[in-house]
Amino acid sequence: MIKNKEASADASQRIFGCFILEVLFFQLVLEVAPIFPDFRERIYTISKKRLANWEHIILRAKQSGEIRETLDTSVLARNLMSVSGSMLNIELEQANFQYMFSDTRMQFEQYYMLIKK
């Protein structure tokens, strides 16, 4: 997950001058969704697919015995999806690229320590 985010951030920085792809995505959604209902529906579909993917991964981890079976799959999936968005809570103009990814990695590691068997 982290390697993918870092690669996306590098490409985003080169192309758009902004290293957090989610910033561009959220700006677009906030500006365009109220105007174009079809676009809003596409974003909703993408979000549901992301949630389903997270839930699938969590279910596989439960089945393999890697994480506790008692966890609420849907709630955990939503929490894990929000980790990358939490980077947006940092003041972006003064943000340190390495800090943001180390913070994201730390958040995922903390979640894993809480949910593993």
Side-chain angles (χ1 to χ4, degrees):
M1 177 71 177
I2 295 297
K3 287 179 184 178
N4 184 27
K5 288 286 181 192
E6 289 171 342
S8 293
D10 288 341
S12 178
Q13 178 65 40
R14 283 191 312 276
I15 297 167
F16 302 107
C18 173
F19 60 80
I20 302 176
L21 201 55
E22 282 88 353
V23 171
L24 302 175
F25 175 77
F26 289 129
Q27 285 177 337
L28 178 67
V29 169
L30 291 174
E31 292 177 22
V32 177
I35 301 168
F36 299 103
D38 290 343
F39 179 76
R40 183 175 48 240
E41 187 61 34
R42 285 185 68 196
I43 296 302
Y44 177 74
T45 301
I46 290 168
S47 294
K48 294 299 272 184
K49 185 180 270 190
R50 282 185 65 215
L51 180 61
N53 288 339
W54 272 109
E55 289 174 344
H56 177 73
I57 290 167
I58 291 166
L59 287 172
R60 285 182 46 201
K62 284 181 176 183
Q63 291 167 351
S64 72
E66 182 178 355
I67 64 174
R68 293 182 285 123
E69 303 87 15
T70 57
L71 298 166
D72 184 308
T73 301
S74 182
V75 171
L76 181 57
R78 290 174 189 276
N79 286 334
L80 292 173
M81 277 179 61
S82 71
V83 169
S84 61
S86 71
M87 291 189 303
L88 300 175
N89 294 328
I90 298 171
E91 201 171 313
L92 296 175
E93 294 82 29
Q94 301 171 5
N96 178 308
F97 177 72
Q98 291 301 328
Y99 169 75
M100 293 174 117
F101 285 106
S102 67
D103 182 60
T104 301
R105 181 175 308 210
M106 184 258 328
Q107 289 181 55
F108 277 118
E109 288 170 352
Q110 288 293 310
Y111 268 112
Y112 187 71
M113 288 186 343
L114 292 170
I115 66 175
K116 71 179 182 176
K117 276 191 159 180

